[in-house]
Amino acid sequence: MVIDLLMRIALAGALGGLIGLERQLRAKEAGLRTHILVGIGSAMFMIVSKYGFTDVLPLEHIELDPSRIAAQVVSGMGFLGAGTIMIQRQVVRGLTTAAGLWVTAAIGLVIGSGLYEIGIYGTLLALIVLELFSRLSRYLIGQHHSLLFRLKPKSVPLVLLALQKERIRTGQVSVINRDDESGLCELSLEVTMSRRVIQSHLYEALMEIKGVHSLEMH
């Protein structure tokens, strides 16, 4: 029995590590170690929830709900997931990583309860969504980028027009931090570029616009 429980903890950590490895390779906020710890912790909570109170159950007037501790893992992951979500220049990032941590916790609970097949199957599906669907999305829709300009206010329409001519879809647009001394402001843009767009050529074309002083592409 003890060996089986130890194997559950190790397997939950290993499966969580696979998801964490994918996240770390993409330089995301929560990587390999975080996901391994979430998987191990969730499995241990599940084991405690199912088997940790067997010594008191024979006593009179003792009734326990084996799902209560496991249920708190779901709530607790909300706090950890929120720590990976950041707002940078009015753009929300880290939602996928937060969802990955949530799924890793679920995998740990499933493995901790002894449902090995379900846990392994869930891990495979999560990796397919994170890797295969990511590539498919970039191929069909394009890749998201953040553009940050320092430019003259009158150059903002010219930049938007240039992006429109290149058939680049724009999302969140914000103009912030106008400097009275230089007369420059910051233009933040979320764009979606198709595979045909050559970033170096786009950078040169945007920098040639009159009034554009600098451009950062992420």
Side-chain angles (χ1 to χ4, degrees), residues 39-146:
I40 291 174
S42 299
M44 293 175 68
F45 277 123
M46 191 66 202
I47 291 171
V48 169
S49 189
K50 288 188 67 174
Y51 310 110
F53 306 100
T54 54
D55 56 332
V56 298
L57 285 177
L59 302 178
E60 295 184 3
H61 308 297
I62 296 294
E63 293 184 3
L64 296 176
D65 180 2
S67 67
R68 291 187 65 183
I69 294 180
Q72 299 309 309
V73 174
V74 181
S75 301
M77 283 308 302
F79 293 97
L80 187 58
T84 67
I85 300 174
M86 299 181 295
I87 300 179
Q88 297 176 344
R89 301 186 184 276
Q90 300 180 347
V91 178
V92 179
R93 301 183 182 277
L95 289 173
T96 302
T97 301
L101 286 171
W102 184 61
V103 171
T104 301
I107 292 169
L109 292 175
V110 169
I111 295 298
S113 66
L115 302 175
Y116 300 109
E117 296 86 354
I118 302 299
I120 294 173
Y121 180 70
T123 303
L124 291 176
L125 283 183
L127 291 173
I128 289 173
V129 170
L130 290 172
E131 186 63 30
L132 182 60
F133 278 61
S134 176
R135 295 185 180 184
L136 185 63
S137 174
R138 289 198 300 270
Y139 179 79
L140 296 177
I141 302 174
Q143 193 164 5
H144 299 291
H145 292 273
S146 299

